[in-house]
Every structure is written in structure tokens, then in C-alpha cells.
Amino acid sequence: MKKIIALYGAANKGKTTTLNILVDLLAVVSDCYTIERHYDSKAMFVINNKTIGVCTSGDNQEEIKNNIEFFNKNECEIIITATRTKGEGVSELEKFTKKQGIEIDWIMKENNLELNGLVAADIFRRIINEVYPKC
């Protein structure tokens, strides 16, 4: 794994909505992708030979474990997950990143639903900067 981005915040702050917008953005530029859409989505993209995984769930430890399993199964190099601000889910994610030897890029999601698209665009920009080498 090369990069982990965690969109964090309390319940009902728009994390899932924001990450679903990100999924739609990534689908436009992806070489290939798979998306499982339910209330919470799991998606895998290949962009410039890099595998990116996005999971919109992450409110508890079990969801984070399921996300990690999905990322490992798909050999994701860049992962994006939702998470709460504290608790066992956060601990599980931090334990995973220590094992991988990389840090989490934490992005706070505030309760401003009008900004969901801007937050998604910011995460999209970070991913594009990772998958395309700078000139």
C-alpha cells in the first residue's frame, strides 16, 4: 500500500455522500472499475496501472475490518475509507497502517453538506497526484 486517506467525522456528517461523489469522479477517469452500490459502497479502480479502493462505510471496527479485507483482496495501492472520529474503528485503522508502515492522510468532514462536492474534489486531486507522476 502506498497511501491511505481517511475521511473522518461523527455520524450523519456526509461522509458516505462525499465518498460516493468521489466514486463517481474516479469512474470517469478510470481505465477499469467495479462498484458495489448499496447504502454504503465499495469500489475498486485502476488508473494509470495503480489500483485504488474506496469504501464508504467505517462507523465501527467490523466495517473497518471488512474494508481492510476488501483493500487487501484487491491489492489496492491507494485506499480511501470513511471512519469516525474515535473508537475501535479508528484503532483498527491505525493498527493496520502501522503494520503497513505508512501514515494516514486524515481529512475531516464537517457538517456542511454543501461542501461535499468540494471535499470529494480535494480527495480526487490527491489521488490523481499520486497516480500520475509530476512533470
Side-chain angles (χ1 to χ4, degrees):
M1 234 154 275
K2 192 174 178 182
K3 185 171 193 69
I4 297 175
I5 298 172
L7 182 64
Y8 73 97
N12 302 314
K13 298 292 183 189
K15 297 182 300 292
T16 294
T17 302
T18 300
L19 291 180
N20 277 325
I21 294 168
L22 175 65
V23 165
D24 293 338
L25 291 170
L26 290 170
V28 172
V29 299
S30 180
D31 301 324
C32 69
Y33 61 89
T34 60
I35 301 171
E36 299 172 23
R37 290 221 192 237
H38 308 285
Y39 171 74
D40 281 305
S41 302
K42 289 185 179 187
M44 190 271 303
F45 304 90
V46 177
I47 302 172
N48 199 27
N49 296 316
K50 303 278 191 280
T51 305
I52 298 110
V54 180
C55 291
T56 65
S57 62
D59 283 346
N60 57 54
Q61 184 178 23
E62 191 62 33
E63 289 177 353
I64 294 293
K65 282 183 177 182
N66 288 336
N67 293 353
I68 290 169
E69 183 179 310
F70 174 81
F71 298 137
N72 284 332
K73 177 183 166 193
N74 289 290
E75 299 178 359
C76 297
E77 298 169 71
I78 300 170
I79 68 171
I80 301 93
T81 185
T83 185
R84 289 285 180 94
T85 55
K86 59 185 175 183
E88 292 179 354
V90 172
S91 298
E92 189 68 32
L93 188 59
E94 289 174 336
K95 182 172 76 173
F96 172 71
T97 58
K98 283 181 186 173
K99 187 184 274 187
Q100 295 293 319
I102 55 178
E103 293 186 22
I104 302 172
D105 188 0
W106 294 99
I107 299 174
M108 185 170 69
K109 179 64 184 91
E110 296 191 37
N111 193 20
N112 186 335
L113 300 180
E114 293 80 26
L115 295 180
N116 286 345
L118 293 176
V119 174
D122 177 54
I123 298 170
F124 177 79
R125 178 193 52 79
R126 292 171 193 234
I127 293 166
I128 295 302
N129 286 341
E130 286 290 323
V131 298
Y132 289 107
K134 301 209 186 322
C135 297

